[in-house]
């Protein structure tokens, strides 16, 4: 649902979020009058805050308290009311260059050093995925009939890794009447088509192909091909395991949002024992990236994992050439200094891309 705010309402929302980020205390109209030059009366500010509350952008944790930003309020703040801090971005990039320009460093040492620097500067948990240097370009694909109505796709990559995927053929009038010899011939033609389209492409490239535009003779297989290749991409997805470097946990746990022991325990368990669940949120394929946005910001309930549904995760991919190979991110409470955190993540992604290139 699109929410249209007046300039005054945007000013009040901006000031409320800024004040809450700074103090962690519910915000009243008097605080905004005293600390922000809004040039209006407390009554006007109270009225604007009431409108913002009705729109779901602010809420009162207690009836007698001031207001606190909701996830939706933070979302508008991030998308419409701030820009990343360019001075901080330059400072971060310079710091990374100054401290990490040692030619004898291993790649892992470089990433660990970057993670520690980002955690110190941001004050949030830093997560950097190890680069997926093997881009898994496809070498050969072959479709074979296994039994009636079921086929197997065998995939070979440039590194001679193989995967096989079983799928049900789409039921059409044509293939329902085909004998095995004709079906085998048609599968071979389809295999040739797949090889002509996909040989030499990486998995990240085929994730974004539009299979609704296939040649007319293969149109009936468009949805089948799309599902088949989605399964291939899933099978070749790198195992997350220990491939996420994590720094800054002790710093962020001092924030008041993490005062409950149970919440801390579930977060620590996720970071230490269940990193594979974090992987899809941090290192997303190009097909799942927010269109036109370099940095992904997941606020509160936008995170699908329960232990971080009160947190914000900000991430950006870093590249080797044109290929996304890893991701850098920060994780902290939704009460985050967004213009700084976004700048830090973006600067680190730029630095790591340059270092790998």
């Amino acid at each position: 649902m699109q929410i249209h705010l007046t300039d005054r309402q945007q000013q009040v929302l901006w000031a409320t979020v800024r004040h809450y980020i700074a103090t962690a205390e519910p915000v009243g109209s008097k605080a905004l009058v005293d600390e922000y030059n809004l040039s209006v009366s407390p009554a006007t500010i109270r009225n604007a805050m009431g409108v913002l509350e009705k729109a779901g952008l602010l809420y009162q944790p207690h009836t007698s308290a001031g207001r606190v930003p909701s996830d939706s309020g933070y979302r508008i703040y991030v998308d419409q009311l701030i820009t990343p801090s360019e001075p901080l971005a330059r400072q971060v990039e310079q710091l990374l260059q100054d401290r990490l320009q040692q030619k004898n460093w291993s790649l892992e040492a470089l990433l660990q050093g970057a993670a520690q620097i980002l955690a110190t500067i941001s004050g949030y948990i830093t997560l950097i995925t190890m680069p997926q240097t093997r881009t898994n370009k496809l070498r050969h694909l072959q479709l074979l009939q296994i039994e009636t109505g079921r086929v197997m796709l065998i995939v070979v990559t440039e590194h001679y890794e193989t995967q096989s995927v079983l799928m049900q053929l789409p039921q059409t009038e044509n293939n329902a009447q085909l004998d095995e010899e004709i079906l085998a011939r048609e599968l071979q033609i389809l295999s040739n088509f797949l090889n002509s389209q996909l040989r030499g492409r990486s998995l990240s490239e085929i994730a974004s192909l539009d299979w609704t535009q296939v040649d007319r003779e293969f149109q009936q297989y468009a949805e089948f091909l799309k599902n088949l290749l989605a399964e291939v991409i899933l099978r070749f997805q790198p195992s997350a395991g220990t491939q996420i470097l994590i720094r800054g946990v002790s710093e962020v746990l001092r924030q008041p949002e993490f005062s409950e022991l149970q919440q801390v325990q579930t977060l620590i368990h996720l970071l230490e024992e269940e990193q594979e669940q974090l992987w899809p949120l941090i290192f997303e394929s190009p097909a799942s990236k927010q269109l036109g946005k370099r940095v992904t910001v997941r606020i509160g309930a936008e995170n699908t994992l329960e232990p971080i549904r009160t947190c914000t995760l900000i991430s950006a991919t870093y590249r080797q050439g044109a290929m996304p190979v890893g991701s850098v991110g920060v994780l902290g409470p939704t009460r985050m200094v967004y213009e700084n955190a976004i700048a830090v993540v973006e600067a680190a992604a730029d630095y790591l891309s340059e270092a790998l290139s």
Side-chain angles (χ1 to χ4, degrees):
M1 181 180 69
Q2 192 74 19
I3 299 175
H4 298 285
L5 301 179
T6 66
D7 290 345
R8 175 71 63 221
Q9 290 160 0
Q10 288 183 353
Q11 285 181 320
V12 171
L13 178 61
W14 175 85
T16 303
V17 174
R18 288 287 291 243
H19 192 77
Y20 183 68
I21 288 171
T23 66
E25 296 290 338
V27 184
S29 57
K30 186 176 185 304
L32 300 187
V33 170
D34 292 343
E35 298 191 30
Y36 298 89
N37 184 23
L38 300 179
S39 303
V40 293
S41 68
T44 301
I45 293 177
R46 281 195 297 273
N47 180 62
M49 294 180 85
V51 172
L52 294 171
E53 185 175 4
K54 287 181 180 177
L57 306 181
L58 302 177
Y59 69 94
Q60 282 185 294
H62 310 289
T63 53
S64 60
R67 268 85 167 192
V68 170
S70 67
D71 290 352
S72 300
Y74 282 123
R75 172 52 63 196
I76 288 183
Y77 178 78
V78 169
D79 290 347
Q80 300 178 26
L81 305 182
I82 63 168
T83 55
S85 170
E86 290 186 15
L88 182 60
R90 289 192 295 268
Q91 179 188 340
V92 168
E93 198 148 1
Q94 189 63 53
L95 192 59
L96 290 168
Q97 289 175 355
D98 291 345
R99 294 195 184 176
L100 303 179
Q101 288 287 62
Q102 299 185 39
K103 290 185 170 59
N104 60 342
W105 274 32
S106 69
L107 178 59
E108 184 169 352
L110 174 76
L111 296 176
Q112 287 177 342
Q116 188 58 59
I117 289 170
L118 294 190
T120 301
I121 292 174
S122 69
Y124 306 123
I125 298 169
T126 298
L127 310 127
I128 299 182
T129 67
M130 292 293 288
Q132 303 306 304
T133 53
R134 297 173 70 177
T135 54
N136 273 328
K137 289 185 178 178
L138 301 183
R139 185 182 186 90
H140 185 72
L141 302 97
Q142 185 71 44
L143 280 165
L144 300 170
Q145 184 180 15
I146 301 304
E147 57 189 46
T148 304
R150 282 171 67 81
V151 296
M152 176 184 287
L153 174 66
I154 299 173
V155 182
V156 184
T157 73
E158 62 178 341
H159 302 289
Y160 294 97
E161 293 176 280
T162 61
Q163 282 284 356
S164 59
V165 179
L166 279 171
M167 291 287 283
Q168 196 79 22
L169 268 175
Q171 288 301 312
T172 68
E173 292 183 8
N174 290 338
N175 68 29
Q177 300 172 2
L178 293 179
D179 63 30
E180 290 190 13
E181 185 176 340
I182 295 174
L183 181 58
R185 192 180 311 134
E186 189 161 307
L187 289 176
Q188 184 58 55
I189 293 171
L190 197 55
S191 297
N192 294 341
F193 170 74
L194 285 171
N195 279 292
S196 69
Q197 296 292 313
L198 303 179
R199 185 183 288 119
R201 290 181 182 264
S202 66
L203 294 176
S204 59
E205 287 179 284
I206 71 173
S208 56
L209 288 177
D210 184 2
W211 287 100
T212 62
Q213 302 300 317
V214 296
D215 293 352
R216 182 176 299 174
E217 61 182 306
F218 300 113
Q219 194 65 52
Q220 62 176 318
Y221 292 111
E223 192 63 26
F224 168 70
L225 292 173
K226 180 180 175 182
N227 294 335
L228 193 64
L229 292 170
E231 186 65 26
V232 169
I233 293 166
L234 186 64
R235 297 289 180 90
F236 277 103
Q237 186 77 8
S239 168
T242 58
Q243 293 177 316
I244 303 176
L245 302 175
I246 299 174
R247 296 291 183 275
V249 175
S250 60
E251 293 297 320
V252 83
L253 293 183
R254 293 173 186 160
Q255 300 285 348
E257 286 86 351
F258 300 101
S259 58
E260 293 183 13
L261 180 60
Q262 181 63 37
Q263 183 184 12
V264 172
Q265 288 175 334
T266 56
L267 178 61
I268 297 295
H269 181 75
L270 174 67
L271 296 174
E272 291 184 349
E273 307 294 336
E274 298 180 345
Q275 289 188 9
E276 71 279 357
Q277 293 190 51
L278 277 170
W279 185 271
L281 295 183
I282 300 172
F283 186 44
E284 303 174 288
S285 71
S288 62
K289 289 290 288 180
Q290 293 177 354
L291 189 61
K293 292 192 177 181
R294 213 171 137 227
V295 177
T296 300
V297 181
R298 297 176 181 269
I299 301 171
E302 295 171 3
N303 291 294
T304 54
L305 300 177
E306 186 62 37
I308 59 172
R309 286 176 68 84
T310 59
C311 299
T312 287
L313 175 62
I314 300 176
S315 62
T317 55
Y318 63 87
R319 298 170 176 267
Q320 188 167 27
M323 180 64 59
V325 293
S327 189
V328 53
V330 296
L331 176 70
T334 53
R335 188 183 58 84
M336 178 183 282
V337 185
Y338 286 93
E339 51 268 65
N340 288 354
I342 293 171
V344 164
V345 168
E346 195 163 15
D350 285 342
Y351 171 78
L352 292 177
S353 297
E354 187 177 337
L356 283 180
S357 297

